Amino acid sequence: MHSLNSILPPSTNKALSTVKTIAAQARCANVRPTNSTPPPPVQSLRRGDWVKLICGASFEDVADVRNLSLVYTLAGVDCIDCAADVSVVNAVKEGINAARSISAVDRPWIMISVNDDQQDLHFRKAEFDPNECPIDCTRPCETICPADAISLDKIGTKFEGGVMTERCYGCGRCLNICPFDRISAITYVRDPIITCNLLKRDDVDALEIHTSGRGTELFKELWSSLSDSIKHVKLIAVSLPYVGDSTFEIMNEIYSIMQSSPPSYNLWQLDGRPMSGDIGKGATKETISFALKLNSTINKPNGFYQLAGGTNFHTIDCLKKEGLFRTKIGMEKQALIGGIAYGGYARKIVGKILRKIPTKNGFVRIEEHPEFLLEALNEALALLGPVKKFQDSLI
């Protein structure tokens, strides 16, 4: 069996060599204590430089998930969050293994995301019948979709195609832009039996539960159904939006519920403006606002805290402006904000490169195109650098 280097021309071999060098430099710059307790991702949370890649709770394009996982593993993320689906988890694992075959980088934790409420925006898919689309439609849904999940081809007097469900992650931007109001959203709840089976795998390290923040009954019901499997994972994350003055009271109630099967570590995802990080600077305001409210709250729920929902290249600057980046609290001098989860923006900056790679039988392995891999890795490092504080050492 030939190594990747032996089958590549000299120019691409040089690009692959550069990828290996940069990944190794990033790993060395991201200095971690040598002791293994607590695990390295938890050490990152304590310092305030944890980074999670969100592949998407509903994003199930296994080719993209694999390549995203490969790139961001090389860049040094602590965790990769994905849909609670066997094929998607396998794709994440394959991407991580491919990255570690290129460079001796640390293995990120694999997290799966589920929901307790069918109304959660992260767990829905757009749907429409292309045969019902008027032939003179300008197809604004195609243009606005950040996931390139809508494809319409004009064939004679009708359209063919529609929504590629595996790529749709439920952002909802197409719903209101359709001039003929033909697009609807289909919501769903992840099957707890499938979730339990995934949690028992030795390569799934964490679980994230999305909840509305408006009550605890649905959370309690889901927690009970998963109780026998939760012991298999290292960390439990709860993602919720800010819903007013009762938010932190609800979080404390949820924490109490979790004590029936207490996790080793727990993490709160402060979800600002869901699935909007690729829109622009303003999208990050809501999660920063959530962090400020947390900072002023006396009765903070136990656990680590992480920002999400609208996070992008501007998030760290906004945190610094508010004096919350790596700000330590408590007797243990733990960072108030443990880190950042990047979703739509992280997928966008690497996805635009994936779209440039010539396809072969419809499946792209980015490591077979080292020039593109190098470009994607540089984009990922530019995003992670301000959090990990290694960007200057890689210039």
Side-chain angles (χ1 to χ4, degrees), residues 22-169:
I22 292 176
Q25 288 175 342
R27 183 179 186 275
C28 291
N30 183 24
V31 179
R32 290 173 168 176
T34 55
N35 62 305
S36 58
T37 304
V42 176
Q43 295 175 21
S44 294
L45 283 167
R46 288 184 172 175
R47 290 193 304 270
D49 60 21
W50 154 282
V51 178
K52 182 178 80 170
L53 167 66
I54 303 174
C55 289
S58 289
F59 189 68
E60 297 165 333
D61 185 319
V62 294
D64 266 21
V65 166
R66 176 196 183 277
N67 289 323
L68 287 165
S69 299
L70 189 161
V71 171
Y72 281 98
T73 296
L74 288 175
V77 295
D78 296 279
C79 182
I80 299 176
D81 181 5
C82 68
D85 176 89
V86 173
S87 62
V88 175
V89 172
N90 289 342
V92 173
K93 181 179 178 180
E94 184 179 330
I96 291 172
N97 290 341
R100 300 185 78 204
S101 71
I102 294 170
S103 182
V105 293
D106 295 326
R107 176 190 175 274
W109 279 356
I110 297 177
M111 173 186 286
I112 58 172
S113 278
V114 299
N115 56 325
D116 66 6
D117 181 357
Q118 194 166 349
Q119 303 308 309
D120 192 291
L121 298 180
H122 300 86
F123 297 84
R124 63 179 182 175
K125 301 277 188 180
E127 182 181 77
F128 67 92
D129 183 352
N131 290 316
E132 295 181 358
C133 298
I135 199 62
D136 60 345
C137 181
T138 57
R139 296 172 283 183
C141 57
E142 267 189 327
T143 305
I144 202 170
C145 179
D148 297 322
I150 297 177
S151 177
L152 289 168
D153 296 315
K154 190 179 290 188
I155 307 295
T157 59
K158 64 178 183 177
F159 284 113
E160 292 185 358
V163 178
M164 292 174 274
T165 56
E166 73 278 5
R167 292 196 59 81
C168 176
Y169 58 81

Side-chain angles (χ1 to χ4, degrees), residues 223-238:
W223 187 260
S224 177
S225 69
L226 300 176
S227 59
D228 290 338
S229 303
I230 287 167
K231 62 186 178 184
H232 295 282
V233 295
K234 305 174 182 72
L235 178 141
I236 301 292
V238 177

Side-chain angles (χ1 to χ4, degrees), residues 218-228 230 257 260-261:
L218 290 174
F219 182 92
K220 187 175 183 179
E221 182 180 333
L222 177 60
W223 187 260
S224 177
S225 69
L226 300 176
S227 59
D228 290 338
I230 287 167
I257 292 169
S260 63
S261 303

Side-chain angles (χ1 to χ4, degrees), residues 240-308:
L240 76 170
Y242 182 78
V243 294
D245 294 341
S246 65
T247 302
F248 299 109
E249 179 183 344
I250 291 291
M251 290 169 72
N252 279 309
E253 289 180 19
I254 288 173
Y255 181 79
S256 295
I257 292 169
M258 291 194 294
Q259 297 318 294
S260 63
S261 303
S264 298
Y265 301 99
N266 75 286
L267 171 66
W268 301 99
Q269 178 162 285
L270 311 183
D271 199 14
R273 183 179 173 184
M275 299 172 286
S276 65
D278 61 298
I279 294 175
K281 182 177 181 179
T284 202
K285 290 180 179 178
E286 288 188 34
T287 191
I288 297 295
S289 176
F290 201 161
L292 288 169
K293 291 181 173 69
L294 172 72
N295 187 44
S296 64
T297 297
I298 297 174
N299 190 23
K300 295 179 178 63
N302 288 324
F304 297 106
Y305 307 102
Q306 164 205 271
L307 302 189

